[in-house]
Amino acid sequence: MNQLVEADDRQGGHASLATAALEARAEVLELQHRNASERVRRALYALAAEFTTVAAWSCIDLRDLDKARTYLHESSTFAGLSQDPPTAMRVWVNMAMLAYQRKNWPEQLAAAQAANASPAARRDPFFGSMGRVRLALAHSSLGDLRAARRSLGAAQENYRKAAEDERPRWTAFYGPAELNHLAAIILNHNGEPAEAEAMAHRSLAKIPAEFQRNRALATCQLALAQLRQGEPEQATATAGTVFTIMEGAPLPGRMRTLIGDFHRDLFRLAPSTTYARDWADRMRDEWSRT
């Protein structure tokens, strides 16, 4: 499992990662046919849910959303059989993320509410923060900016209260850097680009070097925030570093979508500038390699 998570940290979701996760799941489920205690069986179901969620997450990153939905439904079954609160929390969070990618705002809110009401979120402020920030994203998607701000503040406060406890390896992505990155997304969506830029800078200052994909995504948010403040040349320079950060690796589908959004906004604001034309050439070259 650790190798799969580390591969995702470096380059995001990709087809080989999903395949490896499903192969590992098959091996885990095969062990269920052997004699084992109830505790061991629950642990095996939790592991099956984790591997299935990794496959689903890879498909979300690749923008293969129908397949991601199928895997998440399977993962929710395994999570229920495991009776493991953090595993169930992971599934709800990913369901909220999938609904966001599908632009199904009511489903995004329902999944975020389920994550926020889950036993893991009620027992541990760390998971409570994770649930609240998903609520903030859902409220922002629905245009309820006040509720988005309120939930974001609650997520930040919960995180400050969280103890340094041992948690599953998959939670390593969630810390001050990720919370600030998600805040940048919310604030960009809320029409507050100056605050979004500040949050993106804070995120980038704290993202560990091995979280290559996360650094590139936060850089996308920074570029969008700069562009929406009327700084297209600076924003274009920032956006160009996304390709450098990914070091030639194919851009995951979600990142391509963000870069596409930036490209459209740039050519709406500054279509005839030299830096916009240079950006278009760079983007064309990078796209041809993915």
Side-chain angles (χ1 to χ4, degrees):
M1 173 60 73
N2 285 350
Q3 290 179 331
L4 296 180
V5 174
E6 288 165 5
D8 177 54
D9 292 342
R10 287 193 304 273
Q11 66 181 94
H14 48 285
S16 60
L17 177 61
T19 300
L22 293 174
E23 289 173 351
R25 180 187 72 174
E27 293 176 7
V28 167
L29 292 176
E30 178 62 29
L31 294 175
Q32 287 285 8
H33 296 290
R34 304 181 185 181
N35 290 330
S37 67
E38 181 181 353
R39 181 181 62 82
V40 170
R41 289 191 183 282
R42 287 181 181 176
L44 288 172
Y45 279 126
L47 196 53
E50 286 201 31
F51 282 127
T52 312
T53 304
V54 169
W57 168 247
S58 294
C59 292
I60 292 172
D61 233 10
L62 289 165
R63 299 280 297 173
D64 189 349
L65 303 184
D66 290 338
K67 191 173 289 185
R69 189 179 182 88
T70 298
Y71 290 149
L72 277 178
H73 285 164
E74 294 173 359
S75 185
S76 67
T77 298
F78 295 133
L81 293 170
S82 77
Q83 300 181 42
D84 181 62
T87 300
M89 178 75 182
R90 186 180 191 184
V91 174
W92 287 124
V93 166
N94 277 268
M95 283 187 170
M97 296 170 82
L98 174 61
Y100 176 80
Q101 295 298 317
R102 294 171 69 92
K103 301 186 187 302
N104 187 334
W105 312 137
E107 186 173 304
Q108 181 192 7
L109 179 60
Q113 288 171 331
N116 193 53
S118 69
R122 292 198 306 269
R123 295 171 189 172
D124 184 345
F126 177 89
F127 289 113
S129 176
M130 197 180 288
R132 288 299 180 93
V133 78
R134 289 294 150 192
L135 269 180
L137 285 159
H139 287 310
S140 180
S141 296
L142 287 164
D144 191 342
L145 308 189
R146 182 176 297 178
R149 270 283 195 176
R150 186 169 59 248
S151 294
L152 177 59
Q156 293 165 330
E157 180 61 24
N158 274 18
Y159 189 82
R160 284 192 287 269
K161 294 177 180 177
E164 292 287 337
D165 293 338
E166 185 175 345
R167 297 183 179 89
R169 170 65 179 83
W170 67 266
T171 64
F173 81 96
Y174 192 73
E178 178 66 6
L179 184 52
N180 287 332
H181 172 209
L182 295 174
I185 295 173
I186 293 162
L187 293 165
N188 260 333
H189 198 276
N190 283 12
E192 302 173 83
E195 289 190 64
E197 180 178 7
M199 286 296 180
H201 278 299
R202 290 183 193 176
S203 176
L204 289 166
K206 292 181 177 292
I207 294 176
E210 64 270 21
F211 284 77
Q212 184 179 359
R213 186 270 315 277
N214 288 21
R215 177 169 293 279
L217 285 169
T219 302
C220 288
Q221 291 299 324
L222 176 59
L224 287 167
Q226 291 170 336
L227 189 62
R228 290 166 185 173
Q229 291 177 85
E231 301 171 5
E233 186 168 9
Q234 177 61 53
T236 302
T238 299
T241 65
V242 170
F243 303 116
T244 305
I245 292 167
M246 293 301 291
E247 297 178 343
L251 300 189
R254 286 193 309 137
M255 201 177 300
R256 289 171 68 91
T257 298
L258 286 172
I259 289 293
D261 291 343
F262 176 85
H263 181 83
R264 285 189 296 274
D265 286 353
L266 174 64
F267 274 84
R268 179 174 54 81
L269 293 173
S272 59
T273 58
T274 300
Y275 55 81
R277 291 195 297 271
D278 290 345
W279 159 263
D281 291 341
R282 173 79 183 274
M283 182 172 162
R284 192 178 304 110
D285 289 345
E286 297 289 345
W287 247 237
S288 68
R289 295 194 297 165
T290 59

